[in-house]
């Protein structure tokens, strides 16, 4: 043992990873693209009110924020948003269209000028919103998804494909926006136009399905500036198509889970049938797991659980993955010289693929893969060790056994600090993290919020419970009508297994989650006696209220698959809701909520707390002005982490240093 190693109780280890450091590194690059030969992307700015800026990487390698504060490049379509920008090289200068979060208008920006609005503001409901833009400079338009509110209710909304003139003539005139589809489908993605310009393809789906349940691939003829004879050519109620595009020789490409795994198809024939995913859940319009290269090769993000970046040869089915340290890639890809650049001859350096990758030792970075040589390198948002990386957690990829022998995929992060050990044989406290979604997955990447706890002597276990993506449709479907059962059981099974094997202290287990994970955390406190306390962030707490009229339109019918049709099983909605069973919650808890959250509204927390009144369960409720669903401001995230640590300190008998005490009410 080194001379500088201290023996201190778990939870009291001094750490250089404070809450401010974790907050400053929250979020990651998204929505990569090319403007000419330059790679561009969006990037978070937690210390600037949580806005997202647009970043360009110039030819000399210098990264530059394109739009100053308060510009915030972020769409609110389906509330989770989607691709918020598109760009092209126009006569040697960058021309970009983007959505600003504040008013959701579409803007045009050209180098040397100020952004100019292209779309009007609507006084109705949530207004006019735009996502997934495709520039058509030769027609003087940008084609987008238009989300238009028709009333004040969250479900008073329609979505169509629309063409916005680039000359600004629609900036004050809604009638100058041309609608390309008739609104027959509740949800649509942006259109992808074939290389010859004669066909367009997009995805569509309708309530009560979510896009990972079933989508339709719609094909239409492009006649001048209109779409004619739209017809469904693939997909359906029980087949999820996650993305559609075209090969450079005009073949239709899409990712479908018809075999139980999202695999790639070219003109409806499988090109690489494997029991792994080449697609994922379409939580944001414009997610991209593959991008076609000239000559027929396809850049792909794929994997079973963790994801890799590779080049697929559809003729042989062979995939060659990029070498490098990255263990996860986000669903965003761009290829230099794509057809979206107006048919302009590709610039020198064609064959570059840009993606966003991360690992347990590095946060998300913008990665460039040369498809010709197979070499990959970081070109943007480069990870910089803000502290000694020896303080980073060292994850273990584990598979536990749950009820009925089912597998539960989990990432276990034991306490880790190079300068501290704990006395004796007492196992450490552990916090079980339930991810949001619930159709999602906890990625295996460096997260300083996890390191904040592990470096102080508190273990973390991220559970990819049944219902998580990345493991095939059957694993995903385990949660059908079982939300609040399977997720709760799987998290508890992992927690108890860690305790039984001596990894975790049975008396010092906590549960934590946000959004759908907040539901799982709250349901776990109400339905089990496994946990000594819990942290619940922007949760769903009352199924009987969360639905049409209270939450947003995209998820307003989600519970029909997660719980069951309300008309058929109304008792199930009440039986599983923590808000209906506040009397069963006896463990202390911390409840955190954004007051501007339209997905999981504050009313859910208020009803839950009203039913807890007089029960003398120690708890704290912190509501944040100006925060929505998922916290983005540095000051918010600092308070969240410090409050959470204080809760565990009080319940577990820990002594962390320099942390403000959280006041727990009775």
């Amino acid at each position: 043992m080194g001379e500088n190693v201290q023996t201190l109780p778990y939870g009291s280890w001094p750490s250089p990873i404070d809450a401010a450091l974790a907050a400053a590194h929250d979020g990651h690059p998204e929505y990569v693209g090319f403007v000419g030969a330059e790679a561009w992307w969006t990037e978070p700015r937690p210390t600037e009110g949580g806005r997202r800026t647009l970043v360009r990487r110039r030819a000399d390698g210098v990264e530059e924020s394109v739009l100053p504060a308060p510009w915030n490049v972020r769409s609110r379509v389906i509330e989770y948003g989607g691709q918020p920008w598109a760009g092209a090289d126009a006569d040697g200068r960058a021309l970009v269209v983007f959505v600003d979060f504040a008013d959701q208008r579409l803007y045009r920006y050209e180098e040397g000028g100020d952004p100019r609005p292209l779309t009007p503001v609507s006084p109705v409901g949530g207004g006019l919103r735009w996502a997934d833009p495709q520039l058509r400079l030769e027609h003087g338009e940008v084609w987008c998804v238009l989300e238009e509110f028709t009333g004040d209710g969250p479900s008073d909304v329609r979505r169509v494909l629309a063409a916005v003139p680039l000359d600004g003539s629609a900036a004050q005139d809604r009638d100058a926006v041309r609608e390309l589809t008739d609104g027959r489908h509740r949800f649509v993605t942006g259109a992808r136009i074939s290389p010859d310009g004669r066909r367009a393809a997009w995805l569509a789906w309708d309530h009560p399905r979510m896009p990972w349940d079933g989508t339709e691939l719609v094909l239409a003829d492009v006649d001048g500036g209109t779409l004619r004879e739209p017809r469904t050519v693939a997909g359906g109620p029980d087949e999820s198509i996650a993305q559609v595009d075209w090969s450079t020789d005009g073949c239709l490409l899409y990712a479908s889970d018809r075999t139980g795994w999202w695999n790639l198809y070219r003109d409806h024939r499988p090109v690489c049938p494997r029991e792994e995913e080449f697609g994922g859940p379409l939580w944001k319009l414009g997610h991209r797991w593959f991008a076609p290269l000239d000559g027929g090769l396809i850049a792909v993000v794929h994997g079973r659980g963790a994801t890799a970046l590779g080049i697929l040869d559809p003729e042989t089915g062979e995939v060659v993955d990029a070498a490098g340290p990255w263990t996860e890639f986000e669903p965003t890809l761009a290829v230099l010289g794509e057809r979206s650049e107006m048919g302009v001859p590709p610039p020198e350096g064609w064959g570059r693929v840009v993606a966003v990758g991360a690992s347990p030792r590095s946060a998300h970075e913008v990665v460039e893969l040369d498809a010709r040589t197979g070499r990959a390198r970081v070109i943007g948002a480069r990870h910089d060790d803000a502290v000694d990386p020896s303080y980073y957690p060292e994850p273990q990829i584990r598979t536990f056994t749950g009820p009925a022998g089912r597998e539960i995929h989990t990432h276990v992060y034991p306490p880790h600090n190079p300068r501290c050990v704990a006395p004796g044989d007492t196992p450490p406290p552990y916090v079980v993290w339930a991810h949001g979604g619930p159709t999602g997955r906890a990625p295996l990447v460096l997260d300083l919020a996890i390191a904040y706890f592990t470096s102080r002597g508190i273990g973390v276990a991220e559970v990819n419970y049944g219902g998580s993506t990345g493991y095939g449709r059957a694993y995903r479907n385990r949660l059908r009508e079982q939300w609040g059962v399977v997720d709760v059981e799987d998290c508890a099974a992992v927690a108890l297994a860690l305790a039984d094997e001596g990894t975790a202290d049975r008396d010092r287990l906590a549960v934590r989650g946000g959004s759908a994970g907040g539901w799982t955390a709250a349901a776990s406190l109400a339905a089990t006696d496994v946990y000594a306390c819990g942290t619940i962030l922007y949760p769903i707490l009352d199924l009987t209220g969360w639905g049409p009229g209270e939450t947003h339109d995209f998820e307003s019918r989600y519970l029909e698959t997660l719980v069951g049709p309300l008309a058929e099983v109304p008792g199930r909605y009440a039986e599983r809701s923590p808000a209906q069973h506040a009397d069963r919650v006896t463990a202390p808890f911390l409840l955190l909520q954004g007051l501007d959250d339209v997905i999981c509204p504050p009313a859910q927390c208020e009803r839950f707390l009203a039913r807890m009144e007089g029960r003398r369960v120690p708890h704290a409720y912190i509501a944040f002005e100006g925060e929505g669903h998922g916290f983005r401001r540095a000051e918010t995230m600092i308070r969240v982490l410090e409050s959470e640590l204080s809760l565990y300190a009080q319940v577990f008998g820990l002594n962390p240093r320099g942390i403000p005490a959280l006041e727990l009410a009775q």
Side-chain angles (χ1 to χ4, degrees):
M1 186 179 296
E3 294 180 6
N4 295 326
V5 174
Q6 302 179 75
T7 300
L8 294 170
Y10 290 117
S12 64
W13 297 351
S15 171
I17 302 172
D18 61 16
L21 186 70
H25 289 78
D26 189 76
H28 57 77
E30 276 189 299
Y31 303 120
V32 296
F34 279 102
V35 178
E38 291 182 352
W40 291 43
W41 60 87
T42 64
E43 198 168 285
R45 294 287 185 263
T47 57
E48 297 178 22
R51 77 181 186 100
R52 296 194 72 89
T53 189
L54 195 56
V55 175
R56 69 188 296 182
R57 183 184 188 272
R58 292 189 174 272
D60 59 5
V62 173
E63 292 174 44
E64 177 183 288
S65 181
V66 177
L67 299 165
W71 294 107
N72 186 355
V73 184
R74 182 176 156 218
S75 169
R76 283 189 62 181
V77 167
I78 67 170
E79 292 302 342
Y80 291 105
Q83 177 80 32
W85 75 277
D89 185 305
D91 298 323
R93 295 200 311 171
L95 185 156
V96 172
V97 295
F98 70 93
V99 178
D100 184 60
F101 184 74
D103 59 13
Q104 288 298 290
R105 297 172 85 180
L106 195 65
Y107 286 81
R108 172 175 176 159
Y109 166 78
E110 293 176 82
E111 277 185 90
D114 294 322
R116 293 183 291 133
L118 295 179
T119 58
V121 173
S122 169
V124 179
L128 299 175
R129 300 174 178 181
W130 312 86
D132 212 359
Q134 305 287 313
L135 277 172
R136 305 193 79 212
L137 292 192
E138 67 275 28
H139 297 283
E141 293 180 328
V142 54
W143 285 16
C144 310
V145 173
L146 162 60
E147 181 176 78
E148 181 173 27
F149 281 78
T150 58
D152 292 329
S155 292
D156 297 331
V157 64
R158 59 192 293 268
R159 297 174 188 88
V160 295
L161 294 176
V164 176
L166 284 168
D167 63 6
S169 57
Q172 307 296 333
D173 182 8
R174 167 66 180 83
D175 291 337
V177 175
R178 290 193 310 113
E179 295 193 10
L180 301 169
T181 56
D182 58 8
R184 72 179 68 179
H185 290 290
R186 189 75 171 188
F187 302 94
V188 292
T189 65
R192 299 295 181 264
I193 302 168
S194 61
D196 62 9
R198 298 173 61 181
R199 293 174 294 168
W202 65 93
L203 305 179
W205 67 98
D206 294 286
H207 284 320
R209 296 194 305 275
M210 300 300 286
W212 43 86
D213 297 323
T215 52
E216 297 177 27
L217 197 169
V218 182
L219 197 63
D221 299 321
V222 179
D223 182 2
T226 61
L227 297 175
R228 300 197 182 280
E229 299 182 16
R231 61 266 186 199
T232 297
V233 297
D238 300 307
E239 177 184 353
S240 170
I241 297 177
Q243 182 192 336
V244 63
D245 212 322
W246 300 89
S247 66
T248 52
D249 62 355
C251 293
L252 190 65
L253 299 174
Y254 58 88
S256 165
D257 74 346
R258 64 182 58 153
T259 65
W261 298 85
W262 275 301
N263 279 189
L264 276 180
Y265 292 80
R266 183 175 63 175
D267 282 349
H268 310 294
R269 293 186 296 273
V271 296
C272 184
R274 295 186 181 185
E275 289 192 349
E276 61 177 88
E277 309 283 30
F278 289 78
L282 196 63
W283 279 104
K284 298 180 180 181
L285 304 186
H287 270 346
R288 202 170 191 198
W289 293 268
F290 68 87
L293 290 150
D294 198 10
L297 300 179
I298 307 170
V300 292
V301 170
H302 70 105
R304 185 168 182 153
T307 50
L309 172 65
I311 301 296
L312 165 66
D313 183 342
E315 296 295 336
T316 64
E318 181 184 13
V319 181
V320 179
D321 287 336
W326 311 284
T327 56
E328 295 277 358
F329 281 87
E330 290 293 300
T332 181
L333 285 174
V335 172
L336 185 59
E338 290 186 274
R339 298 172 310 283
S340 60
E341 297 189 22
M342 316 160 290
V344 171
E348 185 178 350
W350 187 95
R352 291 159 56 198
V353 179
V354 174
V356 174
S359 79
R361 310 295 293 176
S362 59
H364 292 84
E365 305 172 299
V366 181
V367 177
E368 180 185 271
L369 169 65
D370 187 325
R372 299 163 302 176
T373 66
R375 295 185 59 189
R377 62 183 181 131
V378 177
I379 64 163
R382 181 181 295 275
H383 172 76
D384 182 24
D385 290 316
V387 296
D388 183 342
S390 64
Y391 285 91
Y392 294 162
E394 298 178 347
Q396 303 167 357
I397 302 173
R398 303 277 307 269
T399 302
F400 293 91
T401 301
R406 64 179 182 249
E407 291 184 338
I408 310 168
H409 301 289
T410 306
H411 304 148
V412 177
Y413 296 85
H416 176 75
N417 186 310
R419 299 191 179 280
C420 294
V421 294
D425 297 325
T426 304
Y430 256 81
V431 184
V432 170
W433 283 30
H435 66 71
T439 307
R441 183 175 62 86
L444 189 67
V445 300
L446 177 63
D447 183 342
L448 291 187
I450 292 176
Y452 178 78
F453 295 103
T454 57
S455 62
R456 285 170 170 76
I458 300 172
V460 171
E462 285 189 305
V463 182
N464 284 315
Y465 48 80
S468 300
T469 49
Y471 308 100
R473 186 166 182 129
Y475 195 88
R476 202 162 77 239
N477 282 349
R478 285 184 189 174
L479 212 57
R480 277 187 170 269
E481 300 197 8
Q482 295 297 309
W483 196 38
V485 179
V486 164
D487 50 326
V488 170
E489 290 177 348
D490 285 1
C491 287
V494 169
L496 294 175
L498 290 171
D500 289 345
E501 70 184 26
T503 298
D505 186 338
R506 174 65 183 89
D507 296 325
R508 294 191 294 175
L509 296 171
V511 63
R512 183 239 213 218
S515 188
W519 153 271
T520 300
S524 296
L525 294 181
T528 77
D529 61 357
V530 172
Y531 309 101
C533 61
T535 301
I536 305 164
L537 300 95
Y538 37 90
I540 301 165
L541 294 169
D542 184 4
L543 298 181
T544 60
W546 194 83
E550 183 164 291
T551 192
H552 63 138
D553 186 60
F554 176 57
E555 291 181 280
S556 63
R557 304 283 296 279
Y558 195 6
L559 297 183
E560 293 193 24
T561 52
L562 289 176
V563 182
L566 178 60
E568 298 175 19
V569 289
R572 191 182 293 169
Y573 279 62
E575 178 57 35
R576 294 190 192 165
S577 294
Q580 303 291 324
H581 298 291
D583 58 307
R584 298 180 187 172
V585 177
T586 58
F589 63 87
L590 169 61
L591 186 56
L592 302 153
Q593 176 70 42
L595 290 177
D596 293 347
D597 194 338
V598 296
I599 295 172
C600 296
Q604 291 260 321
C605 290
E606 292 159 8
R607 286 199 294 270
F608 178 70
L609 291 170
R611 289 165 181 161
M612 289 297 303
E613 194 168 348
R615 298 222 36 257
R616 303 192 64 78
V617 175
H619 68 276
Y621 175 52
I622 307 175
F624 298 97
E625 294 273 1
E627 290 282 13
H629 195 68
F631 302 142
R632 298 175 183 274
R633 298 178 177 180
E635 60 269 26
T636 300
M637 293 182 278
I638 290 169
R639 191 171 181 200
V640 165
L641 284 174
E642 292 183 342
S643 298
E644 185 177 351
L645 180 57
S646 180
L647 171 71
Y648 303 150
Q650 294 180 54
V651 174
F652 295 156
L654 312 177
N655 186 28
R657 304 179 184 189
I659 304 299
L662 174 69
E663 185 175 341
L664 295 173
Q666 293 277 349

